């Protein structure tokens, strides 16, 4: 084990870590694809205080925001396969739960976690929109769906986009915990490469650089989109 940094390993492992980016982006994209509509609908249920959904959403948000995501990962990755295995064995269903690709558990964990965050993001954003606009839309014959699609949602996006950006960046960083599920993402790939020569400092530097670059690119993309949305903000002001 050398005293200084192994620059050759540092350079080579950077590309090893980089090869985990597609999995990280896939998990992020799927989680957002599920969490954005689910979070919006549950936010509306909380605002309108729909009896059952309101209480469920409230308890769900409290649970997710009150527990570390690593614990949520262990619960889903350990408990769900165990329960499914017992269920399949009881009813003689020929499915091998433990052969399931861990990425499916990653989809579940990060979708559930991000949904809880976006419920609060959308709830606060929707509350900034004047309720009179919805009433005015209904008075001219628009349905609730049309009013939300044409009036409420665009304005909600303008207000919530900075928080959605933050949630997305945090989600990308949270996928680094996917190594706990043996998910072949950035962190696990770099750590496996480091195991041979115990070059963990170099591996963690590579992980740091890859996430820094990835998150910076995502933030820049959101800033460009926010500028486009700001045009709408000017037109409704």
């Amino acid at each position: 084990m050398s005293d200084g940094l192994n620059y050759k390993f540092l350079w080579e492992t950077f590309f090893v870590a980089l090869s985990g980016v597609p999995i990280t982006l896939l998990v992020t994209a799927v989680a957002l694809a599920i969490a954005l509509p689910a979070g919006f609908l549950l936010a509306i249920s909380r605002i309108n205080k729909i009896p059952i959904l309101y209480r469920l959403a409230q308890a769900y948000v409290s649970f997710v925001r009150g527990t570390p995501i690593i614990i949520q990962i262990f619960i889903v990755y350990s408990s769900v396969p165990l329960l499914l295995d017992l269920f399949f064995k009881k009813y003689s269903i020929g499915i091998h739960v433990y052969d399931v690709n861990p990425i499916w558990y990653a989809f579940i964990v990060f979708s559930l976690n991000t949904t809880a965050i976006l419920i609060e993001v959308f709830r606060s954003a929707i509350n900034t929109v004047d309720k009179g606009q919805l009433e005015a839309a209904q008075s001219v014959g628009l349905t609730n769906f049309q009013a939300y699609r044409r009036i409420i949602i665009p304005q909600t996006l303008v207000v919530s986009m900075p928080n959605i950006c933050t949630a997305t960046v945090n989600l990308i960083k949270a996928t680094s915990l996917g190594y706990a599920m043996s998910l072949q993402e950035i962190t696990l790939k770099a750590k496996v490469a480091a195991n041979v020569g115990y070059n963990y400092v170099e591996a963690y530097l590579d992980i740091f650089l890859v996430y820094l670059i990835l998150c910076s690119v995502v933030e820049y993309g959101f800033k460009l989109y926010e500028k486009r949305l700001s045009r709408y903000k000017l037109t409704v002001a």
Side-chain angles (χ1 to χ4, degrees), residues 30-40 110-111 114-115 118 122:
V30 171
L32 285 175
I34 295 170
L36 284 167
F40 186 80
F110 294 115
S111 295
T114 308
T115 297
L118 292 182
F122 285 130

Side-chain angles (χ1 to χ4, degrees), residues 74-94:
F74 287 141
I75 289 173
V76 172
Y77 191 56
S78 302
S79 303
V80 171
L82 181 63
L83 293 173
L84 287 175
D85 189 52
L86 291 172
F87 176 81
F88 292 150
K89 284 181 178 178
K90 182 178 180 180
Y91 293 99
S92 302
I93 300 173

Side-chain angles (χ1 to χ4, degrees), residues 88-146:
F88 292 150
K89 284 181 178 178
K90 182 178 180 180
Y91 293 99
S92 302
I93 300 173
I95 297 177
H96 300 286
V97 176
Y98 296 104
D99 293 336
V100 173
N101 192 313
I103 197 169
W104 292 102
Y105 298 111
F107 291 156
I108 294 170
V109 172
F110 294 115
S111 295
L112 292 173
N113 184 271
T114 308
T115 297
I117 293 168
L118 292 182
I119 287 172
E120 294 304 295
V121 169
F122 285 130
R123 188 169 70 94
S124 60
I126 293 170
N127 282 330
T128 64
V129 180
D130 186 1
K131 292 180 181 179
Q133 294 188 46
L134 180 60
E135 294 170 359
Q138 291 169 340
S139 69
V140 297
L142 293 180
T143 63
N144 278 342
F145 176 78
Q146 290 172 326

Side-chain angles (χ1 to χ4, degrees), residues 40-202:
F40 186 80
L41 292 173
L42 289 171
I44 292 174
S45 76
R46 290 200 67 183
I47 291 170
N48 296 327
K49 295 189 176 180
I50 299 172
I52 298 175
L53 281 178
Y54 170 72
R55 292 298 179 188
L56 286 175
Q58 193 175 39
Y60 169 54
V61 170
S62 297
F63 171 76
V64 172
R65 295 179 69 180
T67 56
I69 190 169
I70 190 67
I71 300 301
Q72 296 166 26
I73 288 172
F74 287 141
I75 289 173
V76 172
Y77 191 56
S78 302
S79 303
V80 171
L82 181 63
L83 293 173
L84 287 175
D85 189 52
L86 291 172
F87 176 81
F88 292 150
K89 284 181 178 178
K90 182 178 180 180
Y91 293 99
S92 302
I93 300 173
I95 297 177
H96 300 286
V97 176
Y98 296 104
D99 293 336
V100 173
N101 192 313
I103 197 169
W104 292 102
Y105 298 111
F107 291 156
I108 294 170
V109 172
F110 294 115
S111 295
L112 292 173
N113 184 271
T114 308
T115 297
I117 293 168
L118 292 182
I119 287 172
E120 294 304 295
V121 169
F122 285 130
R123 188 169 70 94
S124 60
I126 293 170
N127 282 330
T128 64
V129 180
D130 186 1
K131 292 180 181 179
Q133 294 188 46
L134 180 60
E135 294 170 359
Q138 291 169 340
S139 69
V140 297
L142 293 180
T143 63
N144 278 342
F145 176 78
Q146 290 172 326
Y148 270 95
R149 184 171 64 86
R150 297 180 183 181
I151 299 169
I152 306 300
I153 292 177
Q155 293 182 70
T156 300
L157 283 176
V158 172
V159 176
S160 63
M161 194 52 61
N163 288 328
I164 293 175
C165 174
T166 301
T168 302
V169 170
N170 287 339
L171 171 59
I172 291 171
K173 292 186 289 186
T175 60
S176 64
L177 296 173
Y179 75 87
M181 296 181 283
S182 302
L183 186 66
Q184 294 293 319
E185 44 70 59
I186 297 166
T187 303
L188 183 63
K189 282 180 173 286
K191 288 180 71 174
V192 168
N195 285 342
V196 178
Y198 298 98
N199 301 107
Y200 291 108
V201 174
E202 292 88 341

